[in-house]
Amino acid sequence: MAMGETFSSTIGSSEVKTTAAVFVMTLVAVKLATMVNKKRQNLPPGPCGLPLVGYLPFFGKQPPVTFHELRKTYGDVISISMGSWPAVVINGREAIKEALVTKGDDFSGRPAFTTAQLLNDGKNFGFSVFGPTWKMHRKIVSNVLYTFTNARNNPIEDIIRTEAHTVIEEFLAHGEKSFCPRDSMQLAASSLVFQLCYGAHQNIREDQSFVSAVNGGREFVEFTRAGNPVDVMPWLRFIVPHKVTKFVDLITQSVARRERKVEEHVAVYDENNLRDITDGLIHAGDHLTGEEKAVGLDKRRVVESLDTIYGAGSGTVASTLQWCIYVMAAYPDTQEKLFQQINEVVGQSREARLSDRADLPLVEATIYEILRFCGSVPFALPHATTCDTTLRGYDIPEGTVVLINLQSIYMEQDLWGDPEVFRPERFINSEGLLDRSLVEQASPFSLGRRRCVGEFLARMELFLFFTTLLQRVRFYKPAGCEYNFESTYGLTRDVQAFQVCAAPRG
Ligand code: HEM
């Protein structure tokens, strides 16, 4: 028995050695073939990665900084491999514009990552493939969003102000003690988009669907924070199946929540009184044109957009609002200038309004400078090429993953002169107004076909929320506390948990 064991383990180990040798030789052969092919195809240059995992282990804790360093060696367009996927990283305004605008049709796909496939069977329009179905789907969502943020009886102003006042009360309740504003801001940002989707609610924090959506969102963010390796190494799903089952669980729960909400809406739906985005999408789903149906759109798919809107609209705004508070405490002089402007235009006796925007250019300029300087959204969602194409003279084959490094624009020396300095006035033109052309160049909402569809909504939320906070509160650093702008990367770049103090104004 013992002999048999020894014999079989000897055979086993020599088999293992042979298999390992063949495996390594195959990998080397594939790598060499790829390198030769790369030369023949004139692919962009880039660093070597490891077999199977590619360059992933070298992304580091701050991927935009890693890519910034690589750009110095390899230029604006860099080849890397992400697990099983060939990928390029595009840096700098000019190269990004060429890809997303000049060659928009070629670069506006999305990679068929596992998570994208799992999100509504790949029908989530934020992750779906580029083509006529996505185009018409996006147009419908864009129209519904526009209608509900521009309606004459627009509930959005009230929703944003009410949320801002809830947060102000929470902050001031701490008195002179310091606190971490993270949970309050996450709740507020989620509540804004949730109420826009499903209707204004007096006690939203007590609504069970909302509470479970927020908790689900937190888990989702934690889960995706480090990226899901199964996305880029699909074979991993057989080794770590929980990575997929956990994700599927979170999606299933979110779909069940949305379906309950939609059923409640359908029960009292009145097409002459559309109350919120859900009603708007139900209406759009009932009135699809023949052309829209012909590309595969149906009411179910249109209504499912609620998940995309909530998902895309909560974390981005929460992260940016947290940076807003952090930066105000870090730069008290800027905070004072903003307060002076708000005090002159709005005063203390009335509420700030969206229509004050034109008279408060420094507030908007500061928001754009925070988006740039703090880079709360450092990358676009992953793009993919839809055909064989070229960029800056290099060949980019169909199906290549394309990482758009927006942070490289925020830090571009030629564009900003002093990108490492926080200076909101850079976004004010010689007439004292917001410099729209510079805002366009900064591109925090990306460019081209897949540019953020919620941009105008996000701008409204950020402006009114931030203005209301600054009108009523002064933020300051607790004594002896240093801010170092450290952050964590996930889908967004978030400021690490921090302490701040809040004093009442007026
Ligand atoms: C601070 C706020 C926000 C920022 C900085 C931001 C930024 C971005 C960026 C950079 C992208 C990727 C574009 C690309 O892949 O090229 C994006 C996509 C998207 N955003 Fe936003 N976003 C914000 C808020 C919102 C809000 C409030 C909504 C709600 C409607 C929203 C909905 C979306 C959707 C649906 C997409 C996918 C678009 C598509 O694939 O066609 N975003 N956003």
Side-chain angles (χ1 to χ4, degrees):
M1 188 69 179
M3 239 179 96
E5 268 173 10
T6 314
F7 181 69
S8 78
S9 64
T10 311
I11 292 286
S13 87
S14 81
E15 263 177 5
V16 168
K17 277 181 193 158
T18 314
T19 314
V22 170
F23 184 64
V24 170
M25 278 159 64
T26 312
L27 286 177
V28 171
V30 169
K31 189 81 201 165
L32 285 174
T34 317
M35 280 160 70
V36 171
N37 207 18
K38 237 184 189 183
K39 277 231 154 78
R40 204 170 44 226
Q41 280 192 319
N42 188 29
L43 297 180
C48 289
L50 296 175
L52 299 176
V53 289
Y55 201 67
L56 284 182
F58 308 109
F59 274 29
K61 285 195 172 149
Q62 312 253 350
V65 177
T66 306
F67 295 144
H68 181 72
E69 289 305 312
L70 289 179
R71 187 181 178 191
K72 290 183 195 159
T73 312
Y74 298 105
D76 291 347
V77 188
I78 306 168
S79 279
I80 54 167
S81 54
M82 290 175 68
S84 322
W85 292 82
V88 290
V89 183
I90 309 185
N91 297 292
R93 168 93 194 157
E94 283 313 310
I96 291 176
K97 194 171 163 202
E98 179 182 337
L100 300 190
V101 180
T102 317
K103 296 187 172 162
D105 284 350
D106 301 359
F107 282 90
S108 295
R110 295 276 190 226
F113 284 163
T114 310
T115 41
Q117 296 306 304
L118 295 172
L119 282 164
N120 303 5
D121 295 331
K123 290 176 184 160
N124 175 313
F125 81 92
F127 292 95
S128 60
V129 291
F130 179 72
T133 314
W134 164 83
K135 232 180 233 174
M136 289 188 196
H137 193 167
R138 180 174 158 120
K139 194 165 171 214
I140 291 171
V141 174
S142 180
N143 286 342
V144 172
L145 280 175
Y146 189 76
T147 307
F148 281 93
T149 43
N150 285 277
R152 206 178 319 144
N153 213 353
N154 187 350
I156 186 170
E157 291 216 27
D158 281 343
I159 294 175
I160 300 173
R161 266 195 301 262
T162 308
E163 271 312 316
H165 281 292
T166 306
V167 164
I168 290 168
E169 258 178 52
E170 284 169 14
F171 287 174
L172 294 181
H174 292 281
E176 289 176 6
K177 285 202 200 113
S178 70
F179 60 93
C180 177
R182 169 171 290 177
D183 286 353
S184 297
M185 300 315 262
Q186 278 175 349
L187 268 181
S190 304
S191 164
L192 289 177
V193 65
F194 193 88
Q195 292 185 71
L196 275 172
C197 284
Y198 300 117
H201 192 305
Q202 290 292 326
N203 294 309
I204 184 73
R205 283 165 173 67
E206 281 151 35
D207 179 312
Q208 271 320 301
S209 318
F210 173 65
V211 173
S212 92
V214 171
N215 292 337
R218 275 198 194 121
E219 279 191 69
F220 193 91
V221 167
E222 276 316 310
F223 184 70
T224 52
R225 183 168 293 289
N228 190 350
V230 175
D231 263 347
V232 285
M233 295 173 275
W235 44 268
L236 267 184
R237 65 189 300 170
F238 303 108
I239 298 171
V240 280
H242 67 277
K243 281 277 172 196
V244 173
T245 44
K246 171 78 181 162
F247 195 75
V248 172
D249 277 356
L250 288 171
I251 295 172
T252 312
Q253 288 162 21
S254 138
V255 168
R257 264 193 309 270
R258 185 241 309 144
E259 282 178 347
R260 269 197 307 278
K261 278 283 174 198
V262 172
E263 276 165 24
E264 285 166 24
H265 274 69
V266 169
V268 290
Y269 174 73
D270 171 5
E271 79 161 352
N272 297 313
N273 177 27
L274 304 180
R275 299 155 298 167
D276 46 38
I277 293 175
T278 304
D279 276 357
L281 290 171
I282 293 173
H283 186 264
D286 283 339
H287 293 84
L288 289 171
T289 62
E291 208 187 344
E292 287 163 346
K293 284 183 192 158
V295 296
L297 283 175
D298 56 24
K299 183 169 170 182
R300 190 182 170 80
R301 190 158 172 173
V302 170
V303 172
E304 281 174 358
S305 318
L306 285 161
D307 296 342
T308 315
I309 296 170
Y310 179 77
S314 40
T316 43
V317 172
S319 176
T320 309
L321 285 175
Q322 283 174 65
W323 280 116
C324 285
I325 296 181
Y326 190 84
V327 165
M328 287 301 96
Y331 293 94
D333 292 352
T334 302
Q335 185 175 195
E336 250 356 86
K337 277 190 208 159
L338 287 174
F339 177 69
Q340 293 308 334
Q341 193 169 80
I342 294 169
N343 216 24
E344 271 163 32
V345 174
V346 186
Q348 287 288 323
S349 57
R350 76 162 170 91
E351 296 289 359
R353 296 189 282 258
L354 282 171
S355 54
D356 291 322
R357 246 195 307 191
D359 299 320
L360 294 171
L362 194 57
V363 176
E364 281 219 275
T366 306
I367 292 170
Y368 278 110
E369 180 68 344
I370 289 170
L371 283 166
R372 182 196 73 79
F373 186 74
C374 304
S376 44
V377 183
F379 290 100
L381 291 170
H383 284 235
T385 44
T386 55
C387 56
D388 288 344
T389 184
T390 57
L391 184 67
R392 310 240 116 183
Y394 294 115
D395 294 333
I396 317 282
E398 178 178 357
T400 303
V401 175
V402 179
L403 298 183
I404 304 290
N405 186 3
L406 295 173
Q407 177 96 19
S408 67
I409 305 182
Y410 310 152
M411 289 297 141
E412 195 132 52
Q413 192 73 34
D414 296 350
L415 190 55
W416 310 105
D418 54 356
E420 64 296 336
V421 176
F422 178 76
R423 194 161 54 80
E425 289 78 5
R426 70 173 83 243
F427 282 105
I428 299 286
N429 66 17
S430 53
E431 288 152 39
L433 302 171
L434 185 70
D435 185 339
R436 297 218 169 265
S437 95
L438 200 56
V439 162
E440 195 48 41
Q441 305 220 48
S443 318
F445 295 94
S446 189
L447 301 88
R449 320 278 194 270
R450 304 240 39 159
R451 183 182 180 130
C452 176
V453 77
E455 175 175 351
F456 59 91
L457 170 59
R459 286 181 43 211
M460 283 181 187
E461 293 184 24
L462 294 174
F463 170 79
L464 198 54
F465 201 97
F466 190 38
T467 307
T468 306
L469 284 192
L470 294 183
Q471 183 191 16
R472 308 286 178 203
V473 176
R474 181 175 68 83
F475 295 101
Y476 60 97
K477 281 194 286 188
C481 178
E482 284 308 316
Y483 283 6
N484 53 17
F485 284 78
E486 272 187 11
S487 60
T488 51
Y489 278 88
L491 291 174
T492 47
R493 175 179 185 255
D494 299 334
V495 56
Q496 282 196 350
F498 66 100
Q499 293 287 309
V500 70
C501 296
R505 294 274 197 187

